[in-house]
Amino acid sequence: MTTDELRVLGAADLVEFLALADADPVVNVFADHRARTTGLDPRWLGGEVWGRFVSGRLVAACHAGANLVPVQCDQESAARFAERAVQVGRRASTIVGPDAAVRQIWRTIDGAWGAAREERWLQPHLEIAGDPLVDPDPGVRNTTREDLAALYPACVAMYTEEVGVSPEATGGAELYRARIQQLIARQWSFARFDDAGEVIFKAEVACVSPYAAQVQGVFVPPHRRGEGLATHGMAAVVEHVRRSIAPVVSLYLNDWNHPARTAYERVGFTESARFATIMF
């Protein structure tokens, strides 16, 4: 008899969960990173990871914390996790992951979480597993604690432009500053500064597994765009990350961001999936 069970995963499920994520390790880098750094302990997750088991085998999962992230979900699994999300109520500020799974989750939730602030569909997911195709900017380097005063305003500007709200809204400045400091300490923050000390390119690594690193927060200030800073800056980031952090570099972006897509393709990134993001 076939059994079909949904339950919260724990430390005893870690090996099986990582094997599931490894079915598409670059796409699943966020969930892989969260599992390895927390051991699937809800106290460290700040939420839960749900698993769907069919005949005792883990076939799909869903990270349910600040982000709701489907892992290896077909349409049926995505719908099942969405039903659970309706039951527990909205805890996440975003739903993000492969486009087809996110669409199914959003259809199943069907208003139970209230209206979304923004829906972003068919976001190209890009990756590079080799040397960049253009010369890296030699001025791009790991940032240090001494750079924080110049770096932090650039991070706030990028976040506000990308997400549509400031990370400092509703008293979030201290938490956001701590996150930037954490990335600096991990040597996951990269930037180039001009002679006056202004950030003219920056990017961060958001999450890492043995297989991949996902880049976020790519930013060039508006008055310096069109100079190739993002293209050669990202080439430098790819070199730094592949040398010291992970063998594959990935990111995803909005489908309407044609200048960024062009810059990444010049570096050598190729599309490997489509993501979607629902923001509340």
Side-chain angles (χ1 to χ4, degrees):
M1 182 179 71
T2 300
T3 59
D4 192 329
E5 177 191 13
L6 226 67
R7 65 171 174 83
V8 176
L9 302 183
D13 303 299
L14 180 61
V15 171
E16 193 170 7
F17 176 84
L18 292 175
L20 178 74
D22 286 355
D24 199 343
V26 182
V27 163
N28 293 325
V29 63
F30 169 81
D32 188 312
H33 169 80
R34 292 286 289 153
R36 291 177 189 273
T37 55
T38 65
L40 296 181
D41 186 329
R43 292 174 300 173
W44 304 113
L45 276 165
E48 298 174 336
V49 173
W50 306 329
R52 182 186 179 205
F53 292 81
V54 176
S55 297
R57 183 174 67 90
L58 181 66
V59 298
C62 186
H63 177 279
N67 303 304
L68 191 76
V69 182
V71 180
Q72 295 302 110
C73 284
D74 59 13
Q75 296 293 285
E76 183 177 358
S77 295
R80 291 284 304 279
F81 290 131
E83 290 166 359
R84 187 179 184 99
V86 170
Q87 292 171 359
V88 302
R90 184 172 76 81
R91 302 170 181 171
S93 59
T94 61
I95 306 171
V96 61
D99 186 88
V102 171
R103 286 181 188 271
Q104 183 60 60
I105 288 171
W106 193 226
R107 281 195 296 266
T108 305
I109 287 177
D110 192 24
W113 276 13
R117 182 168 56 83
E118 191 168 353
E119 302 175 22
R120 299 180 178 181
W121 304 104
L122 294 173
Q123 297 173 298
H125 177 277
L126 310 179
E127 59 185 73
I128 182 171
D131 294 333
L133 302 181
V134 299
D135 292 334
D137 184 341
V140 172
R141 60 172 174 80
N142 287 107
T143 62
T144 68
R145 289 180 297 175
E146 289 70 28
D147 297 317
L148 184 62
L151 181 65
Y152 182 74
C155 293
V156 171
M158 178 285 306
Y159 188 103
T160 304
E161 181 178 328
E162 172 65 21
V163 179
V165 296
S166 169
E168 298 182 324
T170 64
E174 184 175 342
L175 185 62
Y176 188 63
R177 185 180 294 271
R179 172 61 174 165
I180 302 305
Q181 291 174 314
Q182 180 186 59
L183 295 174
I184 292 171
R186 289 177 173 174
Q187 296 193 312
W188 288 5
S189 169
F190 305 90
R192 179 185 171 187
F193 300 82
D194 67 11
D195 292 340
E198 180 189 11
V199 173
I200 57 174
F201 167 82
K202 75 157 198 78
E204 295 92 37
V205 169
C207 50
V208 170
S209 78
Y211 310 103
Q214 187 179 93
V215 171
Q216 67 173 17
V218 180
F219 179 74
V220 173
H223 67 282
R224 297 299 301 266
R225 293 173 186 173
E227 301 178 26
L229 290 166
T231 300
H232 297 281
M234 279 303 299
V237 170
V238 168
E239 279 203 339
H240 280 289
V241 171
R242 294 192 66 249
R243 182 172 60 244
S244 304
I245 299 177
V248 180
V249 184
S250 71
L251 53 81
Y252 62 96
L253 68 157
N254 296 315
D255 67 333
W256 64 81
N257 194 344
H258 301 297
R261 178 72 182 268
T262 299
Y264 299 144
E265 288 178 346
R266 286 173 178 161
V267 174
F269 283 87
T270 58
E271 184 176 317
S272 56
R274 286 290 176 114
F275 268 33
T277 304
I278 309 294
M279 295 185 290
F280 299 91

